[in-house]
Amino acid sequence: MASAQKIPAKMTAIAISEPGGPRVLKPETRDVPLPGPGEILIRVRAAGVNRPDVQQRKGAYPPPPGASDLPGLEASGEVAALGDEISRWRVGDRVCALTPGGGYAEYVKVHAGSVLPLPAGFTHTEAAAVPENYFTVWHNMFERGGLKSGETLLVHGGSSGIGTTAIQLAAAFGAYVVTTAGSKEKCDACLKLGADRAINYREEDFVAAVKEATGGKGANVILDMVGGDYVARNYEAAALEGRIVQIATQGGAVASADFSKIMVKRLVHTGSTLRPRTVEFKAAIAAALEAQVWPLLGTRKVAPVMDMIFPLKEAWRAHERMEDGEHIGKIVLDVG
Ligand SMILES: NC(=O)c1ccc[n+]([C@@H]2O[C@H](COP(=O)([O-])OP(=O)(O)OC[C@H]3O[C@@H](n4cnc5c(N)ncnc54)[C@H](OP(=O)(O)O)[C@@H]3O)[C@@H](O)[C@H]2O)c1
């Protein structure tokens, strides 16, 4: 290690004792990880909770090779130690980071390219709510989906961490935003965040609502976390030359759809997962976010929607809240 503050040998972390329900999340004493070349060690102050953590806890989303077995895809805190070949960061810098795993712990090591400064004026709990959603939405909505100012976005799950981020960023960059959510309270929250139209998918057909909201044209970009029977309906709701970006398949990974719609409307149906991508790829997204989104976070034109904060040792309660589905925005762990 090139540089370090006093670091203990052991730390408290939340581990997945076996695949299962929220109670399998248990505090454990683990070795503090050592940063290698190009990596930094963060003394974690807060860690974001994401739906993929729930999937990992159930045994359905194993960490990629080389990643920590501990859950946690994002964290904020202070730089505690620097590996070799780090020029930008200094011990003590306040940062937030996308982590390949291991965020539910007092210390986490990350590649320097996945680290960003705390947005101006942000607390650690707010900053920990940013990386996973902003990296995912930036890449899938703008880079993969090619959303442009003046176009219409349809984002499913508008009140989720991902959805609240997509609504705000799309609106900030000049798109017309339509979203779906499962209750009036969630739809109201989406409208407050900048959505132009919020569809309660339990009461309204989103295909008809999108057509009505767009004068029959449909959505230019659809960011979808549902899949299943939404696939065929997304093809219906899409505009000519529409781009449908799949980021999850909560409603089913196997679907039957009329593929002639792809030809007739010249649609693109794509998708991606962030976690297994290379450190170079993540560094490129970090650079784009710092240039184009960090100024918006600094003035609070966009900001994470904070749902609830739980102490690290009560991570199981955070997962219970996420699985209850009552939350709006982000659930965060306070690591102290
Ligand atoms: N591809 C990637 O790189 C990537 C990265 C991060 C997250 N993700 C995925 O993105 C999704 C959101 O993550 P998150 O952490 O923001 O989770 P979250 O806050 O728990 O949100 C889950 C959302 O899914 C919605 N939903 C579930 N089933 C639905 C259905 N049948 N119809 C409509 N909406 C449905 C829920 O809407 P209601 O509550 O309104 O029912 C809720 O808003 C997750 O599926 C996650 O796995 C993907």
Side-chain angles (χ1 to χ4, degrees), residues 50-52 132 136 157 159-162 181-182 186 201-202 225-226 230 247-248 250 272-274 322 325 327:
N50 293 282
R51 181 68 54 165
E132 175 70 12
T136 300
S159 64
S160 64
I162 291 278
K186 289 178 176 179
Y201 68 82
R202 295 185 203 279
M225 58 180 74
V226 179
Y230 274 33
I247 57 164
Q250 295 182 87
S272 74
T273 58
L274 179 63
M322 182 161 265
H327 64 292

Side-chain angles (χ1 to χ4, degrees), residues 11 33 48 88 133 197 327:
M11 65 176 186
R88 174 171 182 183
N133 289 164
R197 175 82 163 84
H327 64 292

Side-chain angles (χ1 to χ4, degrees), residues 38-324:
E39 293 179 332
I40 68 169
L41 182 71
I42 298 174
R43 168 61 174 95
V44 179
R45 297 295 171 190
V49 175
N50 293 282
R51 181 68 54 165
D53 307 344
V54 172
Q55 294 304 106
Q56 181 176 341
R57 195 203 70 220
K58 290 177 174 171
Y61 191 52
S68 168
D69 66 314
L70 300 172
L73 299 173
E74 58 189 348
S76 73
E78 297 104 30
V79 176
L82 305 170
D84 292 333
E85 299 162 25
I86 304 289
S87 52
R88 174 171 182 183
W89 304 107
R90 297 282 170 269
V91 170
D93 283 350
R94 285 155 54 86
V95 295
C96 58
L98 189 71
T99 63
Y104 290 17
E106 289 176 315
Y107 289 87
V108 65
K109 72 170 179 175
V110 289
H111 193 273
S114 299
V115 179
L116 284 153
L118 235 61
F122 268 45
T123 62
H124 277 303
T125 41
E126 289 176 316
V130 169
E132 175 70 12
N133 289 164
Y134 279 74
F135 276 67
T136 300
V137 169
W138 184 265
H139 174 62
N140 288 290
M141 191 170 79
F142 291 124
E143 296 180 344
R144 196 161 282 276
L147 182 68
K148 293 178 205 66
S149 177
E151 288 193 325
T152 296
L153 170 77
L154 167 63
V155 53
H156 293 299
S159 64
S160 64
I162 291 278
T164 52
T165 306
I167 290 169
Q168 292 180 73
L169 281 179
F173 284 85
Y176 182 81
V177 181
V178 183
T179 192
T180 60
S183 70
K184 180 176 185 311
E185 187 200 0
K186 289 178 176 179
C187 285
D188 288 346
C190 294
L191 293 170
K192 260 176 79 180
L193 287 172
D196 297 285
R197 175 82 163 84
I199 302 157
N200 181 343
Y201 68 82
R202 295 185 203 279
E203 294 179 353
E204 267 187 280
D205 170 29
F206 77 78
V207 175
V210 168
K211 291 274 175 65
E212 184 202 280
T214 56
K217 287 191 181 136
N220 304 102
V221 174
I222 301 178
L223 189 62
D224 182 31
M225 58 180 74
V226 179
D229 68 355
Y230 274 33
V231 173
R233 296 166 74 198
N234 285 338
Y235 292 175
E236 294 285 343
L240 284 177
E241 311 271 357
R243 291 85 70 194
I244 298 152
V245 189
Q246 209 68 49
I247 57 164
T249 54
Q250 295 182 87
V254 178
S256 166
D258 176 357
F259 292 113
S260 71
K261 298 279 178 212
I262 292 182
M263 299 182 290
V264 172
K265 291 184 167 183
R266 303 182 295 281
L267 303 177
V268 174
H269 189 173
T270 179
S272 74
T273 58
L274 179 63
R275 195 178 188 186
R277 303 302 294 270
T278 64
V279 291
E280 293 80 11
F281 173 85
K282 291 171 184 171
I285 301 184
L289 285 173
E290 189 168 3
Q292 301 198 58
V293 175
W294 254 231
L296 304 179
L297 288 165
T299 56
R300 302 225 169 227
K301 180 151 190 200
V302 301
V305 175
M306 304 303 286
D307 179 72
M308 281 182 79
I309 299 167
F310 295 91
L312 177 67
K313 286 188 175 165
E314 294 178 17
W316 64 272
R317 287 182 61 210
H319 276 221
E320 268 192 356
R321 170 132 186 105
M322 182 161 265
E323 286 184 281
D324 284 349

